[in-house]
Amino acid sequence: MLEMTREEFEELVAEALDRIPPELTRLMDNVAVFVEDEPPSDDPELLGLYEGTPLTDRGEWYAGVLPDRITIYRGPTLRMCVSREDVVAETEITVVHEVAHHFGIDDERLHALGYG
C-alpha cells in the first residue's frame, strides 16, 4: 500500500476542491467536506460519499437543515493507487464526483463523463 499521511491526503483533497471552477464553487451551498481514513465496513472500497439533499431537490421546505456532507476516504484510495500521481488523479476524480452529486448529477451521467 502506498504511504501518505492524513495531512498530505487532506491537502490533496483541498487542492482538488481548489481546481473546481469558481463559478461552480460559488453555487455550492450548505455543504461540508471531510476526510476519513476508512469507509463504513459494509463498503470497504468506497472512495467517497455524498450525504444530503442535492441542490436540484431543494425547495421551499429546505431551511435550517444540517449541511450536506462529502466524505473522501484515504485508505481505499491509497490501496488502489501505485504512485503519488495516481493518488492525485484519483482524489480529484473522487472529489469532483461527490461535488457533482451535490449539484444533482447521478452516477450514470458521471460515469459517462469519466468521473465514475
Side-chain angles (χ1 to χ4, degrees), residues 5-16:
T5 67
R6 181 166 177 142
E7 291 77 23
E8 290 173 306
F9 190 78
E10 287 173 348
E11 183 62 30
L12 292 180
V13 171
E15 289 170 5

Side-chain angles (χ1 to χ4, degrees), residues 49-76:
L49 180 65
Y50 170 77
E51 299 170 284
T53 304
L55 295 174
T56 54
D57 292 345
R58 295 179 186 181
E60 294 175 9
W61 60 269
Y62 189 85
V65 299
L66 292 173
D68 292 2
R69 181 181 177 101
I70 291 173
T71 307
I72 308 298
Y73 298 106
R74 183 175 72 101

Side-chain angles (χ1 to χ4, degrees), residues 21-62:
E23 55 271 15
L24 292 179
T25 57
R26 280 193 293 272
L27 298 174
M28 293 174 67
D29 181 49
N30 200 29
V31 60
V33 179
F34 299 90
V35 170
E36 298 289 341
D37 288 330
E38 294 296 333
S41 59
D42 63 335
D43 199 355
E45 299 306 313
L46 187 65
L47 302 180
L49 180 65
Y50 170 77
E51 299 170 284
T53 304
L55 295 174
T56 54
D57 292 345
R58 295 179 186 181
E60 294 175 9
W61 60 269
Y62 189 85

